[in-house]
Amino acid sequence: MAIMPEDKQHKEKAALGSDISQTEEICVSKDGMRVHPQPTADPLDPLNWSSLKKHTILGIVMYMYFMFTYVTTTTVPSFPELQESLGISYSQVNWTVAIPALGLSVGPLFWSSLADIYGRRIIFLVGTVIAFFATIGAAVANEYGGYMAARFFQGFGVSPAATVGMAVVGDLFFEYERGQKLGLWVLAIDTGLLVGPIIGGFIDLVSAEWIQWLTAILFAVLLVLELAFMSETLYPRNYMLARMPTDISGGADIEKSGKHRDDPAQVELRRTTKLSMLNVQPVPGMRHPRPWDSVVRFIFTFKYPVVVIGVCIYCFAWYWWMLCVITMIPAAYVQYSPQIQGLLFMGLLVGTLFSEIFMSGRLSDYIVTKLAKRNNGIRLPEMRLWLAYPAALLSAIGLILWGISVDRAHHWVVGQIAFFLCG
């Protein structure tokens, strides 16, 4: 990291506005581009935590995001048993996958603003507890209505892994690192979607109920990890930047900054690891949204049709084709046992792992860095879209190939190749 010369600082501050109007130094990376977020000299700043601590928290976020889709699909191999035990049709049993997805979609509207008020950690803890007890409810439910209610709250409880999980990644890592870290985060949701049926297929050898009991155990482990290792990451950055240097190792001459800067230890503000273990008070030193602001922002999004259409097409296409394929595998390969049907998700899993390792993450960061250099050092979100075009083409080819293989009763290997392309 380096510190910009004084004349360049003023130009940068004029362009950036009031967010950093109180700071005197601007940290830049080795390639000369401004670092975002701006770090402080505070050891309690999540950006300054050790790599081990940051990646431990990232691992916990990934664990919860893995459960985000795991709870949706792990029951798929037990569809015949669910039909029999609950006395429902195949159409109704398909809804047992859709209803937790509804909880997953509604939940972020409820949790997002609360996470910006009370912090990330407490939201993760509360969500995990809800999902844990909802899973127990699904395990003991003996009628369709109760089972569906439990499945909804499973999705609702685990939903903070989406928006709040992404916020945690933003708290811990610089912008130029986020492609790789968000790639791992996305890998977790994709892996949960595909590993769920594989595990569910073998647990179904015991009973359909034990699929839920195992899920409850996984949630209990997640809760222990959150309590033991997940520190609060919501940090009053603007408040702290106004009171201390941005980089204690960057060679900034604080005596010449024209403004007194506090030592981090002298700032009497409880933050991150200094907050109580179960913090239920608004995080101090920050401007907080209203609890319903996330819903308001969601509604205002419809003022921008291009954004809404693009997001809806992507979300609908991704979730529709994934759930369509997943819920159709028991019907497409009816001649196989639930355990073999679970293993037929391996093609999707291997394809997903391959694409995340070789065609996402670091590659996305590399493309953005190259394009930003051509754009006067300014990174734009649209620069990450280039990898979407080959992904869309390969997914379409894979879906067509899989449909043909099922329709013409080709060998299951053909379907696995098609799934690899989709993944």
Side-chain angles (χ1 to χ4, degrees), residues 154-385:
Q154 274 186 304
F156 183 80
V158 80
S159 64
T163 51
V164 182
M166 183 181 289
V168 172
V169 175
D171 294 336
L172 292 171
F173 299 100
F174 292 106
E175 186 181 47
Y176 65 84
E177 301 176 295
R178 289 180 192 166
Q180 181 198 22
K181 309 310 176 185
L182 289 176
L184 294 172
W185 176 72
V186 171
L187 178 61
I189 186 176
D190 290 341
T191 304
L193 191 74
L194 305 172
V195 169
I198 297 174
I199 295 177
F202 284 96
I203 300 301
D204 189 54
L205 287 170
V206 182
S207 70
E209 291 76 17
W210 254 101
I211 292 176
Q212 296 294 350
W213 286 118
L214 175 63
T215 304
I217 293 171
L218 293 175
F219 276 124
V221 172
L222 174 61
L223 183 61
V224 171
L225 292 175
E226 289 170 349
L227 289 168
F229 301 110
M230 187 174 186
S231 301
E232 178 55 60
T233 63
L234 182 60
Y235 182 75
R237 188 162 306 281
N238 288 343
Y239 181 94
M240 297 302 294
L241 281 172
R243 286 159 177 79
M244 65 183 56
T246 56
D247 183 24
I248 57 176
S249 62
D253 191 344
I254 304 305
E255 297 298 326
K256 296 181 181 179
S257 66
K259 187 172 183 176
H260 172 70
R261 298 300 185 90
D262 295 335
D263 182 271
Q266 296 177 349
V267 179
E268 295 182 0
L269 183 74
R270 298 178 67 192
R271 55 199 185 274
T272 59
T273 57
K274 295 299 182 182
L275 292 169
S276 60
M277 186 175 183
L278 294 175
N279 179 59
V280 292
Q281 299 295 325
V283 175
M286 303 189 67
R287 184 171 61 184
H288 301 109
R290 295 166 298 183
W292 56 85
D293 274 356
S294 55
V295 178
V296 174
R297 288 195 299 267
F298 171 73
I299 294 172
F300 281 164
T301 304
F302 288 86
K303 292 171 58 178
Y304 308 98
V306 174
V307 175
V308 173
I309 293 171
V311 170
C312 286
I313 290 175
Y314 171 79
C315 292
F316 177 81
W318 182 85
Y319 217 75
W320 176 80
W321 80 255
M322 285 297 289
L323 287 184
C324 181
V325 169
I326 287 170
T327 56
M328 284 304 298
I329 281 182
Y333 300 102
V334 68
Q335 69 273 28
Y336 297 116
S337 67
Q339 295 72 46
I340 299 301
Q341 289 177 2
L343 290 174
L344 291 175
F345 286 86
M346 288 299 297
L348 281 169
L349 178 61
V350 173
T352 299
L353 292 172
F354 181 88
S355 64
E356 290 294 343
I357 293 172
F358 296 104
M359 300 181 66
S360 185
R362 288 187 183 274
L363 178 58
S364 178
D365 285 339
Y366 174 80
I367 292 173
V368 170
T369 300
K370 288 294 184 182
L371 294 176
K373 287 181 178 179
R374 300 179 189 176
N375 194 38
N376 298 319
I378 300 174
R379 295 182 177 90
L380 297 174
E382 295 85 349
M383 293 174 179
R384 296 197 183 273
L385 293 177

